[in-house]
Amino acid sequence: MRLITVLAGAVLAAGALSPAASAATRPTLADCVGKPQVKPKEIILACADGGDVVHKLKWTSWGRRTAQATGVESVNTCDPNCVAGHYESHRVKVTLRGDGRHFTKIIINGKVHERR
């Protein structure tokens, strides 16, 4: 019986160290509705209308206080108006900064966007 208890404890300890368990403790970035994300494929910067989106993200790092990626930013020109406008796209460098639990600053080519 003691051997079973020891083995059960070892299995539980191994589960606590699994990649899935450690992923839950990674810092997150909230999407537009507040859902936490880890290494998202896209970040919507203009949550009201989706007129500014960073997509095709390739994360090179995802640390406790900083994360970095490259991707493409697509911005609606809103010319002649936002409904009739078209999207212009360009490559960007993305840096996230946070407190170790949540990323609250999204930095796109040096321009800071706040996320709560």
Side-chain angles (χ1 to χ4, degrees):
M1 188 64 155
R2 179 170 161 81
L3 178 59
I4 292 171
T5 304
V6 170
L7 288 174
V11 169
L12 288 173
L17 299 175
S18 72
S22 64
T25 61
R26 289 182 181 175
T28 60
L29 174 68
D31 67 7
C32 287
V33 295
K35 181 181 174 187
Q37 303 177 67
V38 175
K39 295 185 179 181
K41 301 237 186 266
E42 74 173 20
I43 300 170
I44 299 173
L45 298 171
C47 290
D49 64 1
D52 190 353
V53 179
V54 181
H55 54 106
K56 298 182 181 178
L57 289 169
K58 293 186 179 154
W59 296 97
T60 55
S61 68
W62 191 275
R64 299 294 302 156
R65 297 190 180 274
T66 304
Q68 295 186 328
T70 58
V72 175
E73 182 177 22
S74 297
V75 181
N76 188 342
T77 63
C78 290
D79 185 25
N81 58 58
C82 292
V83 173
H86 68 280
Y87 283 81
E88 293 183 350
S89 299
H90 55 277
R91 299 215 32 88
V92 293
K93 290 183 180 179
V94 178
T95 301
L96 304 179
R97 296 201 192 275
D99 61 8
R101 292 187 55 201
H102 307 285
F103 292 117
T104 55
K105 289 186 189 246
I106 305 166
I107 305 162
I108 310 292
N109 286 353
K111 182 179 178 186
V112 178
H113 303 265
E114 296 286 334
R115 179 72 51 100
R116 305 237 178 240

